[in-house]
Amino acid sequence: MSVPARDPMTREERRAGMSLAAIFALRMLGLFLILPVFAVHAAEIPGGDNLTLVGLAIGAYGLTQACLQIAYGAASDRFGRKPVIVFGLVLFVIGSVVAALADGIHMIIVGRVLQGAGAISAAVTALAADLTRDQHRTKVMAMIGSSIGLVFALSMVAAPLLYAAIGMSGIFWMTAVLAFGAIGVLLWVVPAAPPVPRATGKLIDVLRDGQLMRLNFGVFALHLIQTTMWVMVPSALVASGGLPMPEHWKVYLPAVLLSFVVMVPAVIIAERHDKLKPVFNAAIVLLAFVQFGLWLFGDGLIPLALLLTLFFVAFNVLEATQPSWISRIAPPSSKGTALGVYNTLQSLGLFLGGVLGGWLGQAYGPAAVSLFCAVLALVWLALASSMNPPPLRVTPAAAPR
């Protein structure tokens, strides 16, 4: 059944979407800013000549995130979303300060571990689901996913300039300030959260749910593919595209912005006309097409730019639709737990993608990385094809308070 065309988001839903997207953006900007510059900086500090430690400093965040997402999601079911999010952001601030004061690679690793311990993604996503109706949830998830894509592109542009101006320590201090800003947005801008049903669901029930676990495999595959791509793509842009590293933003930024032009209509179709499954599967097909494209003809600046644009289209659509699908089928009493498992698999994908992408690229070459990702996308498509989202519940807007 199609959703009525005229059913706009309420002011509270718009405020919830924009403010929660801002919290994600403030936190992720601080994380993304170190990616283009940290390896260069590490060579100048004690222990930074050890590439294993450098990789651990970058990846430790994802590993501790993976270990704690379920705990944070379950805690948000039991104690409420906002207190858990504040606690995680405070830990993130502490980790940023430790990294800013570090005089060697080992203390930076400690700081990154503490940053990752602020694993609030599941609680924030659950709060977004609490504050929005079914017919607008995909749109709110798109706001959050889009904010991540935008700050990633912004970090590619801003990081070299910031590093030259304030150094790595300054970037970590800036990260702490941004997290404090996120706490302020949560407390004073995000609408009051509705009461969360008492947590009666069990983790084992989430793990036994076939549809939830297929969605969890999907987010694992998506972020593993994303990370393996960034092991390969920057070098390809330099080697075959003839584009120096400081100019890579000229590809990333237009690709991200153009992808939004396609993503927004796709999300509207998914939610307004209850076409979540066809839009979702089409995005997986596009993801597989990009990986096969990189495998077969991923040389040259123009092919790379076009394939990256298509990748961002698929990635942003999937980032928006997957959490919405999970929030529809997860029981209210264990929604935070279900999203915790989801974000755990997401973090594991990020962590393992870098490790696996590096190993495959070194042992078998960049083409093997793309071929592996293409096959993984096809496996995901086979699993997703047997899934069916529940019918969209059209809930009337609440009366103004």
Side-chain angles (χ1 to χ4, degrees), residues 5-96:
R6 293 187 177 182
D7 184 22
M9 298 177 73
T10 65
R11 185 178 68 174
E12 292 289 283
E13 286 175 320
R14 287 194 298 270
R15 193 174 85 178
M18 290 186 289
S19 56
L20 291 171
I23 290 171
F24 258 96
L26 289 169
R27 178 168 165 269
M28 297 307 295
L29 180 60
L31 292 169
F32 287 148
L33 281 171
I34 81 161
L35 297 180
V37 294
F38 184 74
V40 176
H41 168 77
E44 303 173 1
I45 62 176
D49 56 342
N50 186 325
L51 292 180
T52 301
L53 293 179
V54 172
L56 183 59
I58 294 173
Y61 169 85
L63 186 59
T64 48
Q65 280 258 107
C67 293
L68 293 172
Q69 288 287 2
I70 295 175
Y72 273 74
S76 77
D77 284 337
R78 186 168 296 276
F79 303 112
R81 314 295 187 206
K82 285 192 175 184
V84 170
I85 295 170
V86 169
F87 177 77
L89 287 171
V90 169
L91 275 182
F92 188 88
V93 169
I94 293 171
S96 300

Side-chain angles (χ1 to χ4, degrees), residues 195-279:
V196 177
R198 188 177 184 276
T200 56
K202 298 179 181 179
L203 175 60
I204 190 64
D205 295 330
V206 173
L207 298 178
R208 285 174 175 169
D209 189 306
Q211 188 155 221
L212 282 175
M213 291 310 295
R214 277 176 282 179
L215 286 166
N216 291 331
F217 175 84
V219 76
F220 170 81
L222 178 63
H223 287 268
L224 188 148
I225 290 170
Q226 178 202 25
T227 311
T228 56
M229 280 185 64
W230 299 118
V231 171
M232 176 192 69
V233 166
S235 298
L237 286 171
V238 173
S240 67
L243 196 66
M245 180 70 76
E247 297 183 22
H248 285 190
W249 66 271
K250 295 178 181 178
V251 172
Y252 297 148
L253 186 58
V256 171
L257 295 178
L258 286 172
S259 74
F260 293 155
V261 175
V262 181
M263 180 201 71
V264 172
V267 169
I268 291 173
I269 291 169
E271 69 172 20
R272 182 169 293 174
H273 301 289
D274 203 10
K275 299 293 185 182
L276 179 57
K277 181 175 180 177
V279 170

